[in-house]
Amino acid sequence: MLSKALVVVGVISAVLLIVILNTTTPDSAGATGVLGVFIVGYLLVLSALTFLLFGISKAVTRVTNTITVQKPVESLSLRRAYYYSTVIAFAPVIIVSMQSVGGVGVYELGLIILLVAIGCLYVTKRTT
């Protein structure tokens, strides 16, 4: 059920993002339109990143289990991949929003990476 919902949300958000970016400018859209672009962009990255993490986890598990003889490695479930993606997908939105008001330097990227790492640590502690 989660996979179907993610696919639907991803397709709808991609279509909405294309329509918004092709029909309006930031001046004509106003603050609400810019907020809508950030929300739709987050949903698009979230759905794509969830399937990307899930696929990478499956591939790494398959390769690792064929190489090692020890305890088999378990892959992420789709739900856990979704939990991690909710945190990681926020990083591009933060970067784009910071770029629009000033600039993103090494210091800012470091803080964003730290924020995402703390969020992933929190997800790990809450889901295990």
Side-chain angles (χ1 to χ4, degrees), residues 49-64 75-76 81:
L49 192 60
T50 300
F51 289 116
L52 182 69
L53 283 177
F54 183 67
I56 288 173
S57 173
K58 290 284 187 189
V60 167
T61 300
R62 188 173 298 141
V63 168
T64 306
S75 64
L76 286 176

Side-chain angles (χ1 to χ4, degrees), residues 75-91:
S75 64
L76 286 176
S77 66
L78 187 64
R79 184 167 302 277
R80 279 192 75 179
Y82 171 73
Y83 292 154
Y84 285 113
S85 296
T86 57
V87 175
I88 298 169
F90 196 53

Side-chain angles (χ1 to χ4, degrees), residues 7-57:
V7 168
V8 169
V9 166
V11 169
I12 290 173
S13 61
V15 169
L16 281 174
L17 190 61
I18 289 170
V19 168
I20 291 172
L21 292 178
N22 284 325
T23 59
T24 63
T25 63
D27 289 335
S28 66
T32 308
V34 173
L35 178 64
V37 167
F38 285 129
I39 291 171
V40 170
Y42 172 76
L43 292 174
L44 180 63
V45 172
L46 173 67
S47 61
L49 192 60
T50 300
F51 289 116
L52 182 69
L53 283 177
F54 183 67
I56 288 173
S57 173

